[in-house]
Amino acid sequence: MKKIFPVFLAIALILSLSACGAEERAADQSADGNGSYTAPQGASGVSETESGAASGENGADGGMSGGGIQAPSVFMTEDISAEGLTAVYEALEASPSGNIAVKISTGEPGSNYLRTDLIGDLVRSFDNPTIVECNTAYGGRRASTAMHYQVAEEHGYTDIADVDIMDEDGSMTLPVSGGSNLTENYVGSHFADYDYYVVLSHFKGHSMAGYGGAIKNISIGIASSEGKSHIHSGGTGGSMWGGDQDAFLESMAEAGKSVADYLDGNILYINVMNRLSVDCDCDSSPAEPDMHDIGILASYDPVALDQACIDLVYAAEDGDSLAERIESRNGLHTLEHAEAIGLGSRTYELVSIDA
């Protein structure tokens, strides 16, 4: 039977007890009709259910429930294994078809990239899957296509699927609607070759974005090398490293929305919460994790999914280092902007699939 973990009962109690401060946080309340709010330190007003909300096929997780808009479901297992990954994927009841792309970060050698013994069974379960990635814009072994393919082979990815470095032949342009920084997003030119995207992300910290999860994987991750520079500069074309921080965070949300809009529901998201370093898989010498592994989460909503992961970090007794990394980079602003422009919802229902 699906259930909610006890930790979320504790979160619900904390949120209930904090109602006495409702006036102070009135400005942060969400207008979703569920009485939830967006707190300043990660907690988003998680809804709890014994059975969870029906996700629907290929992203149909909206609809009306109890007179209000139903919060998107985020499914979770504590079983970080090939079997657990397959189970949480199956909870989505997805029906991907056509040319299926599995978007991962191939990771720098020495990093905490997703290992093939964890993801191999799920990847192989699709008909003719292709693992897709784009080149980096900061140097390293994945900055050139030839070396990037070599890294993918060394990490075992070519043993479980074909691999496509999508910007091998340059970029294609996606329009950005509703953005305050970007009007265009530049993704790998092979992006349009695929009908459905399974976005498989390793959740972790990041030295610039604060954290990396589903939104980063569909923005920076699907952007070509050219597009990565464009996002990092906040759409100004200036320095990748010296631009306005909030403009960079907002640009990630805007680029991610352009990808989601283009795919029109033909996309799902899975975050693996293991090896929770404060550093990204783009770092070949990441800090050793100082918190426990948590689980695997899946949703059709990338904002809800990343928010749920952040809430789990904040609820963890040993999550202080990662929480500090997120806050020191204002990482929650990506979620704030993503919700504001319609990429997804920070309010969600967390559903355990564990017996």
Side-chain angles (χ1 to χ4, degrees):
M1 181 179 71
K2 297 174 182 174
K3 62 181 180 180
I4 295 296
F5 293 114
V7 67
F8 291 97
L9 298 178
I11 292 174
L13 178 60
I14 292 169
L15 295 178
S16 176
L17 291 175
S18 66
C20 61
E23 291 184 3
E24 286 78 7
R25 59 176 188 260
D28 292 323
Q29 284 185 322
S30 65
D32 60 10
N34 293 327
S36 302
Y37 70 96
T38 300
Q41 293 190 341
S44 67
V46 76
S47 300
E48 298 183 274
T49 177
E50 285 296 318
S51 60
S55 63
E57 185 171 322
N58 292 342
D61 60 352
M64 304 300 290
S65 176
I69 297 175
Q70 180 176 297
S73 296
V74 177
F75 296 95
M76 178 177 178
T77 179
E78 290 184 291
D79 179 13
I80 305 177
S81 68
E83 293 77 15
L85 178 61
T86 297
V88 81
Y89 162 76
E90 290 176 347
L92 292 173
E93 300 181 355
S95 300
S97 60
N99 292 328
I100 298 173
V102 180
K103 173 63 184 75
I104 64 170
S105 168
T106 49
E108 291 294 326
S111 72
N112 297 306
Y113 61 88
L114 294 174
R115 269 47 177 183
T116 55
D117 59 352
L118 175 64
I119 71 171
D121 287 353
L122 178 62
V123 173
R124 292 188 191 99
S125 72
F126 302 118
D127 292 332
N128 299 315
T130 303
I131 289 175
V132 300
E133 176 66 303
C134 285
N135 288 317
T136 69
Y138 55 79
R141 288 193 60 199
R142 299 180 300 143
S144 70
T145 298
M147 288 301 294
H148 200 159
Y149 278 120
Q150 181 63 36
V151 170
E153 181 178 356
E154 291 172 2
H155 290 176
Y157 295 130
T158 56
D159 292 334
I160 62 174
D162 292 335
V163 173
D164 180 11
I165 306 304
M166 292 191 292
D167 61 338
E168 178 176 3
D169 299 311
S171 304
M172 63 175 284
T173 302
L174 300 182
V176 174
S177 62
S180 54
N181 302 279
L182 305 183
T183 58
E184 294 180 327
N185 178 34
Y186 310 119
V187 300
S189 63
H190 299 178
F191 172 73
D193 294 345
Y194 303 97
D195 303 301
Y196 199 104
Y197 277 73
V198 175
V199 179
L200 188 53
S201 309
H202 174 222
F203 188 88
K204 66 282 179 185
H206 191 273
S207 61
M208 293 190 69
Y211 81 94
I215 296 174
K216 184 173 181 293
N217 205 359
I218 61 170
S219 56
I220 293 290
I222 287 178
S224 63
S225 180
E226 171 193 15
K228 288 176 171 64
S229 297
H230 187 60
I231 293 167
H232 269 282
S233 74
T236 66
S239 170
M240 279 185 61
W241 315 118
D244 180 79
Q245 176 68 2
D246 282 358
F248 159 55
L249 300 173
E250 291 167 5
S251 294
M252 282 201 299
E254 292 169 14
K257 186 173 184 293
S258 76
V259 167
D261 287 348
Y262 181 93
L263 292 170
D264 193 26
N266 291 313
I267 187 170
L268 63 85
Y269 310 87
I270 303 173
N271 282 359
V272 179
M273 299 188 74
N274 71 340
R275 299 287 299 167
L276 290 160
S277 172
V278 299
D279 292 320
C280 182
D281 299 342
C282 55
D283 189 332
S284 60
S285 299
E288 187 68 14
D290 60 3
M291 69 177 296
H292 69 287
D293 294 346
I294 292 179
I296 308 176
L297 290 77
S299 183
Y300 288 110
D301 186 319
V303 180
L305 180 60
D306 281 359
Q307 183 68 65
C309 291
I310 285 175
D311 288 346
L312 285 162
V313 169
Y314 276 92
E317 293 182 356
D318 55 359
D320 289 350
S321 294
L322 184 48
E324 190 279 332
R325 173 57 61 90
I326 294 167
E327 291 179 4
S328 67
R329 273 60 171 182
N330 198 26
L332 296 179
H333 188 56
T334 301
L335 293 168
E336 293 168 349
H337 192 65
E339 183 176 56
I341 64 175
L343 178 56
S345 169
R346 296 181 70 190
T347 302
Y348 58 90
E349 289 182 305
L350 187 77
V351 183
S352 169
I353 65 167
D354 295 337

